[in-house]
Amino acid sequence: MMTKAVEALSTNEEIQDVGVDIGRGCVKAFSKFKGKTHQTMFKSIISYGRNLRFDDYEHPLYVEVNDGYDYFVGNLAELEGYIQVHYTSDEKVGDVVEVLLCTALSEVAVADKVRIALGVPKKMYRRSVLNEVINAYKGKTFKIKNKINGSHKEITIVDITIYREADSAIIEQYEKMPELFNCKVGMAVMGFKTLELAYYNEGFEFNDRKSTTIELGNITMLKFVQDELQAQGLDKSLAEIDSSSNYDELKLKGNKALCSQFNRHLKDAWQNLSDVTIFCAGGTLLNLKDFPEFNYELVDQEPQMAVARGLFLVAEKQFS
């Protein structure tokens, strides 16, 4: 389900490949261009912007897209946004997603033209979703202004494709470890709301039956904490709980329960786990790695960026 790369208009044209993972918790983007690595990660939250003393914030994101509205993005939106909009769906088109995508490109795009591999859950890896994404972005030029330093970028999306999130993360492992071609390999990626499982037989043969999307993630822990607080007579939103350090003990208890659920789902999906080389990625699993019950290997470099790095590899292979 990958598109063919379009021909460059001239031999001198420079096009940058970018992997973009727009999750409910965070947006991650990764690229390598002219020998340099470019990456970003920020919370999937936007709000209308306004003038502030931005020196008081760490790497604030404040953008204007296509000469339209000004937006706070990420932590700045969470801290200072009057009307916060959280990305809560799987949809990869729409006003909120467009602002998040343009913000990611403003952070990692060096060239004026880019080709993007966009991550989707397994359940959304369909021709209809690909066509929707292509119609929304391919050939479009976005004018992005950094409202803090005044810089401008005009970026054209020359081509775009979609790929399964967990499979993207597993591609990076095969690149690093060719011996995996002789193994059964599983990748578990847990984000804000879902657990993505990808399974490959020997010879890098995708096993659809053992690959799935499960509703399990950081939100599972947050809802546990919310229920515990409500039992104490405290009414807190999931966003308030997520951003607060006041409930760390309850979060620890919730993450321990989440770890047990994670183990159960892996056993149910793949059964004889001793026969499978298992890798784990995603920001939520970083919160589980120190529990004794967690007996799996996290990818060795920034697990929360694994999908975006793999998507960059997909873009390189797809559009070369």
Side-chain angles (χ1 to χ4, degrees), residues 12-17 31-38 110-111 312 316:
N12 294 324
E13 205 168 37
E14 293 184 320
I15 303 178
Q16 181 178 355
D17 294 324
S31 180
K32 289 183 178 179
F33 189 65
K34 292 187 174 181
K36 292 185 178 181
T37 296
H38 307 273
V110 179
F312 166 71
E316 273 197 321

Side-chain angles (χ1 to χ4, degrees), residues 70-140:
D70 304 342
Y71 295 98
F72 290 162
V73 182
N75 285 336
L76 190 60
E78 183 178 53
L79 293 170
E80 297 292 351
Y82 289 142
I83 302 176
Q84 300 171 3
V85 180
H86 295 249
Y87 172 68
T88 57
S89 72
D90 288 322
E91 299 300 320
K92 301 304 178 184
V93 300
D95 293 341
V96 175
V97 182
E98 184 175 293
V99 173
L100 294 173
L101 176 61
C102 286
T103 303
L105 291 178
S106 74
E107 290 291 293
V108 303
V110 179
D112 295 333
K113 294 179 171 60
V114 298
R115 298 177 297 206
I116 297 172
L118 184 65
V120 297
K122 179 180 181 292
K123 63 183 180 181
M124 289 187 65
Y125 189 60
R126 305 188 302 269
R127 177 69 62 180
S128 59
V129 175
L130 174 63
N131 290 338
E132 186 178 45
V133 166
I134 288 173
N135 290 337
Y137 302 118
K138 184 175 179 179
K140 301 292 178 60

Side-chain angles (χ1 to χ4, degrees), residues 167 171 196 200 249 288 299 312:
D167 297 69
I171 287 173
E196 296 289 327
Y200 282 77
E249 287 189 13
L288 310 185
V299 297
F312 166 71

